[in-house]
Amino acid sequence: MPIQICCACGTSYPDASEPPPRCPICEDERQFVPPGGQLWTTPEKLASGHVNAWRQLERGLFEIHTHPGFGIGQRALLLQTSQGNILWDCIALLDDATEALLRGLGGLHAIAISHPHYYTRMQYWARSFDCPVHLHAADADWIMRPDPAIRHWHGETVELAHGVPLLRLGGHFPGGTVLHWGDGAEGRGAILSGDILQVAADLSRVSFLWSYPNMMPLAAPAVRRIADTLAPWKFERIYGAFPGRQVKAGGAHAVQRSAARYIELLEGNQA
Ligand SMILES: [Zn+2]
Ligand SMILES: [Zn+2]
């Protein structure tokens, strides 16, 4: 029986010959059900019409992105550390070429995901590389396909590898997580942010929303908390959820400046 995958968000559901009646991830106001209704695919159909493209973003960091675009369209990032490779965020397609390339690079030590919109087919990636998936426990209700590889972490931070902590920022989801890579940007530090910090079009600021597709803002205390949580951390670059979306320099300052401006606008000051 094939695994059913939601075409709008890429989430995989338990094996069944028929698609599930609904996708709770898409029915939540932070995602959306397409106007024509929910469509479904299977791993085989997905692989027959799509490929993954790779790009090196800097030494030790690769982007993996599906073409043509599928689901929400996010990229996964492959981070090379002294303790093994970490997959940051996930995508639905793990094709033979991607698997072979990853094995050539040493496989996966761990998977970590910013929030439920990118859980996609994490279970299959984890099984293929015999590695755990680290998810914040606050979002456990959004796992649509339980798996023994999933490890819930609690609290505000957890170390994935030496110099690679996960930080809970909350916001878009209560367990919204980013990854701090101390060795990134030639030792000046980088944040892999998913859409917990959304790298904006001018590539010099970030934004924060409760719902991206439905354009619903985050409340001021949540934005303030994100900025305060990141204030002690050093980072030059921010790698966002989508190809091309990275703040190349001044990342820590960009977060503080963007958060201050966001709160100013929420409070009615558009001048
Ligand atoms: Zn969905
Ligand atoms: Zn999201």
Side-chain angles (χ1 to χ4, degrees):
M1 279 190 291
I3 289 165
Q4 303 287 342
I5 302 169
C6 171
C7 291
C9 71
T11 301
S12 71
Y13 284 80
D15 295 20
S17 52
E18 294 296 319
R22 36 191 286 272
C23 174
I25 299 278
C26 284
E27 290 185 355
D28 178 63
E29 69 180 2
R30 286 164 287 189
Q31 237 299 101
F32 65 99
V33 177
Q38 204 88 64
L39 296 175
W40 301 88
T41 189
T42 63
E44 292 68 31
K45 283 189 213 157
L46 178 61
S48 72
H50 294 77
V51 294
N52 283 337
W54 288 62
R55 189 194 304 264
Q56 187 163 26
L57 298 171
E58 62 174 90
R59 199 153 57 84
L61 187 68
F62 294 89
E63 162 188 302
I64 310 170
H65 184 237
T66 302
H67 290 268
F70 179 75
I72 294 171
Q74 78 277 11
R75 59 185 174 184
L77 299 178
L78 180 72
L79 175 61
Q80 296 178 297
T81 80
S82 57
Q83 289 164 279
N85 296 326
I86 294 168
L87 188 77
W88 169 251
D89 281 335
C90 199
I91 53 178
L93 179 63
L94 173 54
D95 57 10
D96 292 345
T98 303
E99 191 171 335
L101 288 167
L102 272 171
R103 290 208 189 286
L105 290 168
L108 289 180
H109 168 70
I111 299 170
I113 303 179
S114 57
H115 73 299
H117 289 152
Y118 304 156
Y119 288 176
T120 59
R121 281 177 79 212
M122 59 182 174
Q123 303 86 347
Y124 181 67
W125 285 73
R127 245 175 278 150
S128 299
F129 292 99
D130 194 22
C131 73
V133 185
H134 299 276
L135 305 178
H136 197 280
D139 297 334
D141 287 349
W142 295 102
I143 296 165
M144 298 293 124
R145 183 178 169 85
D147 193 281
I150 295 170
R151 301 214 187 130
H152 294 296
W153 64 279
H154 299 258
E156 304 309 309
T157 184
V158 69
E159 189 102 337
L160 267 193
H162 180 67
V164 185
L166 299 179
L167 314 175
R168 184 179 81 97
L169 301 187
H172 178 44
F173 272 80
T177 296
V178 299
L179 180 152
H180 185 263
W181 178 30
D183 289 341
E186 293 84 41
R188 286 167 293 149
I191 289 274
L192 314 189
S193 73
D195 61 5
I196 304 308
L197 309 173
Q198 183 79 273
V199 175
D202 71 2
L203 307 183
S204 71
R205 71 183 83 207
V206 296
S207 194
F208 324 85
L209 290 179
W210 168 255
S211 171
Y212 288 98
N214 297 315
M215 296 177 277
M216 300 161 77
L218 215 53
V223 176
R224 207 167 276 128
R225 189 184 174 282
I226 288 173
D228 289 349
T229 305
L230 284 175
W233 294 89
K234 272 178 51 189
F235 52 96
E236 188 72 11
R237 295 190 186 138
I238 305 169
Y239 290 97
F242 300 102
R245 292 299 177 104
Q246 40 263 346
V247 175
K248 286 193 177 151
H253 179 62
V255 169
Q256 298 303 322
R257 188 169 47 88
S258 302
R261 180 64 179 136
Y262 193 97
I263 291 166
E264 194 176 48
L265 287 167
L266 283 180
E267 290 173 348
N269 181 7
Q270 293 193 336

